[in-house]
């Protein structure tokens, strides 16, 4: 397998409604290869992937087990089997859209971090924008409202790592590396447990939009799917949880600069 600069790894389950947009968006921002593990998919997610014009850049794996913390084992396997084929390996979910703010290509952004083991990218949590049903249009055009910058969940990060320096996944959000993780300001950060860094969120240069709730219909389906990290979660994705997570205070259209190109690619 030819070595590339930037690879995206993910575990997905029943994402047929969004998978084409999500993969195409990340191809637009510079990802050259995708390693996608399908965990107990029962819909047309796989056929949607295979129908994309860049399907030859996508490696699909099938996961059948109900084991706890399936993401951690799968990510570890991805680094072991595919890490030597890429300079950077990023791990994001299908409801997370990552992009740099001052350019259109993540590869250009990552060139300045080549002296580091990995980059921790902070998120911004988007709500439903009062949508009850799944959108007919793009996710990035429909859900344009999010929580305030100070929202506690913005401490979450996802990792872009040099596979040669990967030590172990602590959680789907944090990866331990040989020399530690930095944020967009090149500051080395200490870990605060297995889910976050001991640092205030920074997202002025690169970030990912986390479409955590999306529509109420999406939330109901998410509740039926369950949690791939734990088959016996401490809470369900019920109405009360939806109301707790559905923040729409801030209008944020930053990602819309990719919408025109995304439409053109999807029309192919």
């Amino acid at each position: 397998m030819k070595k590339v600069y930037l690879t995206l790894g993910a575990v997905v389950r029943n994402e047929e409604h969004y998978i084409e947009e999500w993969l195409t968006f990340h191809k637009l921002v510079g990802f050259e290869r995708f390693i996608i593990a399908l965990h107990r998919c029962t819909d047309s997610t796989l056929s949607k992937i295979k129908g994309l014009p860049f399907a030859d850049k996508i490696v699909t794996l099938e996961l059948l087990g109900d084991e706890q913390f399936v993401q951690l084992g799968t990510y570890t396997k991805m680094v072991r089997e595919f890490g030597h084929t890429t300079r950077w390996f990023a791990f994001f979910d299908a409801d997370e859209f990552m992009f740099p703010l001052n350019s259109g290509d993540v590869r250009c952004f990552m060139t300045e971090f080549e002296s580091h083991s990995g980059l921790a990218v902070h998120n911004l949590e988007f709500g439903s924008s009062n949508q009850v049903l799944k959108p007919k249009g793009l996710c990035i055009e429909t859900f344009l409202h999010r929580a305030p910058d100070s929202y506690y969940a913005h401490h979450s990060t996802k990792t872009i790592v040099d596979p040669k320096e990967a030590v172990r996944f602590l959680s789907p959000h944090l990866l331990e590396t040989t020399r530690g993780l930095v944020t967009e300001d090149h500051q080395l950060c200490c870990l605060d447990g297995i889910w976050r860094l001991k640092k205030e969120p920074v997202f002025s240069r690169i970030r990912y939009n986390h479409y955590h709730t999306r529509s109420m219909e999406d939330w109901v389906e998410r509740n039926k799917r369950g949690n791939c990290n734990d088959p016996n979660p401490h809470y369900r994705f019920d109405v009360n949880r939806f109301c707790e997570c559905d923040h729409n205070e801030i209008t944020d259209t930053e990602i819309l600069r990719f919408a025109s190109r995304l439409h053109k690619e999807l029309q192919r």
Side-chain angles (χ1 to χ4, degrees):
M1 185 179 287
K2 180 182 177 181
K3 188 167 184 176
V4 298
Y5 191 73
L6 187 61
T7 298
L8 176 60
V11 176
V12 303
R13 183 191 294 177
N14 291 356
E15 289 286 352
E16 64 180 4
H17 191 75
Y18 296 102
I19 194 69
E20 293 166 313
E21 177 187 355
W22 181 74
L23 287 169
T24 304
F25 175 87
H26 285 97
K27 178 179 178 293
L28 283 178
V29 298
F31 283 91
E32 299 157 289
R33 181 174 295 139
F34 302 86
I35 313 296
I36 306 298
L38 291 89
H39 183 225
R40 298 184 345 187
C41 280
T42 58
D43 64 1
S44 62
T45 298
L46 180 58
S47 62
K48 296 266 188 172
I49 292 173
K50 291 186 177 298
L52 288 167
F54 55 96
D56 60 325
K57 309 297 183 185
I58 307 171
V59 177
T60 56
L61 313 172
E62 187 173 1
L63 307 178
L64 299 175
D66 293 323
E67 67 273 20
Q68 193 174 18
F69 305 122
V70 66
Q71 274 185 302
L72 302 190
T74 303
Y75 287 169
T76 301
K77 180 179 179 180
M78 287 179 180
V79 171
R80 183 174 63 248
E81 295 189 5
F82 300 99
H84 67 283
T85 70
T86 187
R87 175 61 177 82
W88 293 109
F89 215 144
F91 297 89
F92 289 88
D93 296 334
D95 59 357
E96 298 169 341
F97 288 65
M98 190 268 288
F99 59 98
L101 277 74
N102 297 321
S103 73
D105 197 312
V106 181
R107 291 169 295 186
C108 295
F109 186 85
M110 290 305 299
T111 57
E112 69 175 79
F113 291 87
E114 292 185 352
S115 61
H116 301 296
S117 291
L119 173 69
V121 182
H122 279 100
N123 77 314
L124 288 168
E125 295 276 315
F126 280 70
S128 70
S129 292
N130 299 315
Q131 299 297 308
V132 176
L133 302 178
K134 291 180 182 178
K136 295 182 179 180
L138 296 180
C139 171
I140 67 168
E141 289 183 319
T142 302
F143 306 115
L144 296 174
H145 301 87
R146 63 168 173 84
D149 289 1
S150 58
Y151 185 48
Y152 78 94
H154 295 162
H155 284 82
S156 294
T157 62
K158 287 294 177 75
T159 307
I160 306 175
V161 66
D162 179 349
K164 298 189 303 296
E165 302 206 35
V167 176
R168 62 180 177 128
F169 284 92
L170 303 173
S171 71
H173 289 258
L174 279 180
L175 174 61
E176 183 181 353
T177 66
T178 54
R179 293 180 292 121
L181 298 172
V182 299
T183 46
E184 63 176 43
D185 51 9
H186 293 268
Q187 295 298 309
L188 187 65
C189 300
C190 296
L191 305 181
D192 185 8
I194 64 173
W195 294 100
R196 54 188 281 177
L197 304 173
K198 289 183 178 178
K199 179 177 183 175
E200 288 300 308
V202 286
F203 29 66
S204 62
R205 301 185 62 213
I206 192 169
R207 76 189 206 196
Y208 67 96
N209 289 2
H210 184 198
Y211 299 100
H212 185 47
T213 56
R214 296 192 285 209
S215 68
M216 176 61 80
E217 183 182 7
D218 286 302
W219 192 262
V220 170
E221 290 189 358
R222 183 173 184 175
N223 186 43
K224 293 178 181 177
R225 287 200 304 267
N227 188 340
C228 72
N229 289 317
D230 188 345
N232 299 297
H234 298 297
Y235 63 84
R236 302 288 291 174
F237 296 102
D238 57 16
V239 174
N240 290 333
R241 183 67 180 172
F242 179 88
C243 294
E244 291 175 11
C245 298
D246 186 27
H247 287 272
N248 299 284
E249 295 89 336
I250 305 296
T251 300
D252 188 327
T253 61
E254 183 67 40
I255 200 171
L256 290 184
R257 61 193 173 92
F258 298 100
S260 178
R261 291 172 58 208
L262 185 54
H263 274 293
K264 291 178 181 178
E265 287 294 316
L266 289 170
Q267 286 169 4
R268 294 175 59 191

